[in-house]
Each structure stands twice: as structure tokens, then as C-alpha cells.
Amino acid sequence: MLKVRCRAVRMYSMSVVIPAHNEEKYVARCICSVRTAARHYGGEVEIIVVCNRCTDRTADIAESCGARVLYNEERCIAAVRNTGIFAAKGEVIVTIDCDNRMTRGTLKEIALLLSTGKYIGGGAPVRFERYSFPLRCNDALCRIGFGMTGLYCGIFWAEKKTFLAVGGFTEKKAMEDAATAGKLKRYGKRKGKEYTVLRRNFLINSTRKYDDMGDWLYFRLMAQNTGAFIRAALGDRTKLDALLDRMFYDYNDNNKKPD
């Protein structure tokens, strides 16, 4: 059970930033989850969809769902998120990827936690939208990793002034979420605040890549690309970057399985 003490829950204005690359199949679903959470919260909520090299109807659908649409053409999801963060009007920034969803109490719980003055910001637990044995293994690894590091990702949330103070998301191709969580955690420590995680709400994580390529996908990729990971650790990221491009930046363009 969530137990926090605060004099009153402050009704922050919020901006939810959604990066999107050819997400016409998922953007309405994501926005709908945000709008449900906004109604449950009751405060002012701005929804920003940042279209990244979209060649489909993502922008039109987002606008029809009431979102503010911005554009960024960089091949870096952290930079796409930053476009939305820097342009946001809300006091609090919340980020979520376009194929995922938030639970209805997410924004209300964020306001509650920030109102205590104890937290600099945080992340959210991740739950898959369906489960199988390999996905439960993935889930367990995620929980162990988050629990050991405290660098909860998924949905990111903090006041806009906090994101600006740390320079927004770390603009790198891989592990930008963990790097950003680390920056927020260190900044919070300097301010005498904690980086935390939602207790009652969570990110509903899309399984579309598993649906397309099998539930053992990431275990298989780690086994097949061990050399690329080792070379990246030694400073040569060529093959790892190519893999990341296929899995994260080109996936929506062709839905092809990686080699």
C-alpha cells in the first residue's frame, strides 16, 4: 500500500510526451490511456505526440484524439523525447512510448508523490500486456535489474524544471533510459530528494515485437549477438548500432525480423 505524508495533493499542470515513429496502429490506444488517467487525476493535462520521420497517419490520428503534434527527424528516441519536453507547457513532465499504455491512476499518483516534497521524480513498474513463460523470464530480469539499481524506467516523470536542470534525456542510442534515470537520481541526491517508482500504477508494455518474432526474442538476440555486445564494450559500436537500428528505429518501417 502507498503510504506518503503530505499536507495536500498539489494539482500540477502536466504534459505527457509521447515519441512516435509510424505508430498509426497504436497512437490512439496510448492517447486513450492518458486521457483516462487525466480524467481520474482531474488536473490540467497536455498530451504531446512527437512524430519522428512518420510516413503514415500517426500525426493525423494524434490530432484527431486531441494531442498537440510536434516533429523531430533525428534518429535518436532521446532527442525525440527532448523535443516534447522542451516545448511542454506543464509543470510536470511524464513520458511514455507510443505502443505502451498507462494505468488510470498514474497521473494522480505522480501528483501525490511529488506533493510530498520527498521525491525528485521516478519511473514505473513494467507489466507485459500478455504473459508466457519466456515473457515471465523477461519480467523477472527487469524486476531484478530495477530492484538492484533503483533506476526505474518505463514511464518517466519529474517536474519540467528538473528535466531542464539535467539537460533532458541523455541523447544516446542504447540505454538512454537508464542513463537518464541515473542523472535524475544523482540530481535528486544533491537536492536531498529520492528517485522513486510508482507503487499502485504501472506501465502496460506492448508485446508486439514478441508477437511478430517470438517470445524468446531478446534472449535469442543476446545469444546471437554476443560478439557485437563485447565489441561495443571495447569501443566498437558499429554492429550493435546496426542491430539497434533494425530493432528500434526501422522496426515500424518494415516489421522484418533481424538477421
Side-chain angles (χ1 to χ4, degrees):
M1 180 179 292
L2 176 64
K3 293 182 178 180
V4 292
R5 293 181 179 179
C6 58
R7 294 181 179 177
V9 177
R10 178 178 167 185
M11 298 302 289
Y12 298 90
S13 60
M14 296 192 181
S15 294
V16 179
V17 175
I18 306 170
H21 171 60
N22 286 345
E23 296 282 9
E24 64 179 11
K25 294 180 181 179
Y26 296 94
V27 65
R29 186 181 75 163
C30 181
I31 292 173
C32 182
S33 77
V34 177
R35 291 174 68 88
T36 299
R39 286 194 297 271
H40 187 67
Y41 171 49
E44 181 183 348
V45 178
E46 172 189 41
I47 302 175
I48 299 174
V49 173
V50 186
C51 288
N52 175 239
R53 299 176 294 111
C54 291
T55 57
D56 64 358
R57 298 181 59 247
T58 298
D60 292 338
I61 294 171
E63 287 181 341
S64 71
C65 291
R68 176 185 172 198
V69 176
L70 303 176
Y71 297 88
N72 178 290
E73 300 302 311
E74 296 181 59
R75 205 175 177 86
C76 175
I77 192 170
V80 179
R81 291 191 185 109
N82 284 338
T83 294
I85 289 170
F86 298 149
K89 299 175 182 176
E91 299 168 273
V92 171
I93 303 294
V94 182
T95 71
I96 182 170
D97 288 351
C98 199
D99 58 339
N100 298 328
R101 289 167 285 161
M102 63 175 60
T103 49
R104 70 189 296 267
T106 296
L107 302 181
K108 189 172 184 178
E109 186 177 353
I110 288 170
L112 175 62
L113 290 170
L114 287 174
S115 293
T116 66
K118 183 179 179 180
Y119 304 107
I120 197 68
V126 176
R127 302 289 182 268
F128 289 108
E129 60 187 358
R130 68 169 177 84
Y131 275 93
S132 64
F133 176 69
L135 290 182
R136 290 192 184 281
C137 292
N138 271 22
D139 185 286
L141 288 177
C142 289
R143 295 191 194 208
I144 291 169
F146 288 152
M148 290 179 62
T149 64
L151 301 179
Y152 291 90
C153 303
I155 293 170
F156 280 89
W157 52 273
E159 292 186 63
K160 179 175 179 177
K161 65 182 180 182
T162 298
F163 274 111
L164 295 180
V166 301
F169 271 74
T170 301
E171 296 192 4
K172 55 189 292 189
K173 277 194 173 183
M175 301 297 289
E176 83 291 339
D177 46 4
T180 302
K183 287 198 304 185
L184 289 169
K185 187 174 184 179
R186 290 190 296 273
Y187 181 74
K189 188 174 182 179
R190 295 199 299 270
K191 295 292 184 178
K193 296 185 178 184
E194 299 176 23
Y195 183 82
T196 190
V197 63
L198 302 181
R199 279 75 152 177
R200 292 177 175 172
N201 292 276
F202 51 88
L203 173 77
I204 303 172
N205 193 43
S206 169
T207 59
R208 62 176 175 173
K209 288 190 177 75
Y210 302 100
D211 297 339
D212 289 343
M213 292 179 264
D215 289 0
W216 289 106
L217 172 64
Y218 283 103
F219 291 99
R220 176 168 56 82
L221 287 176
M222 285 188 288
Q224 291 176 346
N225 295 277
T226 301
F229 287 107
I230 293 173
R231 282 191 288 272
L234 296 174
D236 180 4
R237 294 183 53 88
T238 305
K239 290 193 174 182
L240 179 59
D241 284 346
L243 174 64
L244 292 172
D245 279 343
R246 292 199 302 275
M247 284 301 301
F248 298 104
Y249 296 99
D250 296 333
Y251 174 78
N252 289 2
D253 294 332
N254 49 38
N255 270 0
K256 291 181 180 178
K257 297 181 180 181
D259 297 331

